[in-house]
Amino acid sequence: MDGHVRRLLNRVSIALAAVATAALLHLFRHSSSYCIVGGSGSPTYSSLSLKPFPRTSCDAASRRVVDPDLRFAKLRASPRWRRRSDALSSSTLVPLRRLRLLGESSRVLCIAAGAGLAADALHAAGVGDVTAVDLVDFPPLVRRADAHNLPFFDGAFDVVLSDDPGALTGALFPSRFATEIERTVRRGGAIAIAVDRHVGLSTVAHLFRKSRIVKVRNATLDGSLVNIVIFRSYRSTTNSH
């Protein structure tokens, strides 16, 4: 009786193994037919895709890889990019130059930089030393860093700039956000922050305790009315990273 049971179990095991092997071969043939993009195995670059987020691995595999430089060039050529860049230049970069707080040799940090519009505008204005950071990197101009804990030394920059109106008020800890900005800008350097019009200037000034407001400009960025608040740092900190 025991021998009969063992033989039966062996046959069942062999049958299950055969079924599993057949299923794997079936899946492999279907994935090879429908999930591989291109015949050479190398990624093919295309324009930006507006398809919904892939729900399966096959959906993801069927999408073409977008070259970062091509993606940035497409954004940079858009009318919206040009309008915002012009608005940022007239409302922020020009006043900074007139106040003698920005020059071609200035070291500038752009925070909450998004796709890198502010960095691109600074490059176009002749400023060569520009660093742009955000929580998500966006090559070729923006690298990843947390504004609450910036990986830079004290006083590393002449100017710190944020053109995102929601960066300060939307920060997890606005006071920490402001403290890190003041830490990384040199004494006598400039801070330029875009804030929504509904945010009181006294509230903004209270966050930047080691700087004083020297200029406020009205601006329209992407259809939103904002204030560009320009500070001058008057006291350095002692902490270092």
Side-chain angles (χ1 to χ4, degrees):
M1 183 67 180
D2 290 343
H4 177 71
V5 172
R6 283 197 298 270
R7 287 193 296 272
L8 179 61
L9 290 176
N10 287 337
R11 291 173 182 174
V12 171
S13 299
I14 293 172
L16 290 175
V19 170
T21 302
L24 287 174
L25 290 173
H26 177 76
L27 289 174
F28 177 76
R29 280 197 294 265
H30 276 69
S31 63
S32 300
S33 301
Y34 299 111
C35 293
I36 296 178
V37 180
S40 63
S42 60
T44 303
Y45 300 123
S46 67
S47 59
L48 290 173
S49 173
L50 298 179
K51 295 179 181 179
F53 191 82
R55 290 176 293 180
T56 67
S57 59
C58 287
D59 288 341
S62 66
R63 296 184 172 209
R64 299 182 185 275
V65 178
V66 180
D67 177 73
D69 292 327
L70 179 62
R71 176 180 60 176
F72 179 72
K74 188 178 182 70
L75 284 173
R76 195 171 186 267
S78 66
R80 179 182 177 185
W81 184 283
R82 291 195 296 269
R83 285 194 302 269
R84 187 181 177 99
S85 182
D86 291 342
L88 180 65
S89 178
S90 61
S91 65
T92 308
L93 305 189
V94 170
L96 283 171
R97 284 189 181 277
R98 288 176 178 170
L99 292 168
R100 300 183 182 276
L101 296 172
L102 177 68
E104 293 183 358
S105 61
S106 296
R107 300 161 299 169
V108 183
L109 172 64
C110 298
I111 294 180
L117 185 143
D120 183 60
L122 285 159
H123 285 314
V127 182
D129 191 349
V130 181
T131 302
V133 299
D134 207 328
L135 285 174
V136 178
D137 62 338
F138 198 103
L141 295 182
V142 181
R143 60 173 173 163
R144 183 170 53 203
D146 184 0
H148 295 85
N149 188 26
L150 294 169
F152 307 110
F153 290 110
D154 296 358
F157 299 96
D158 301 302
V159 179
V160 178
L161 166 68
S162 176
D163 67 322
D164 181 359
L168 178 62
T169 56
L172 187 60
F173 301 104
S175 60
R176 176 66 178 176
F177 182 92
T179 298
E180 278 293 272
I181 290 177
E182 290 187 310
R183 182 186 65 78
T184 53
V185 71
R186 66 171 177 82
R187 184 175 184 178
I191 300 168
I193 302 290
V195 294
D196 292 322
R197 290 273 183 91
H198 70 270
V199 179
L201 293 179
S202 60
T203 301
V204 179
H206 181 72
L207 290 171
F208 292 88
R209 298 175 178 270
K210 299 174 182 177
S211 310
R212 61 183 177 88
I213 296 176
V214 295
K215 189 81 173 178
V216 178
R217 289 289 299 268
N218 297 329
T220 302
L221 301 178
D222 287 342
S224 299
L225 299 176
V226 302
N227 286 325
I228 304 295
V229 185
I230 299 176
F231 295 86
R232 186 159 192 167
S233 174
Y234 63 83
R235 188 170 60 187
S236 60
T237 59
T238 57
N239 296 330
S240 62
H241 276 203

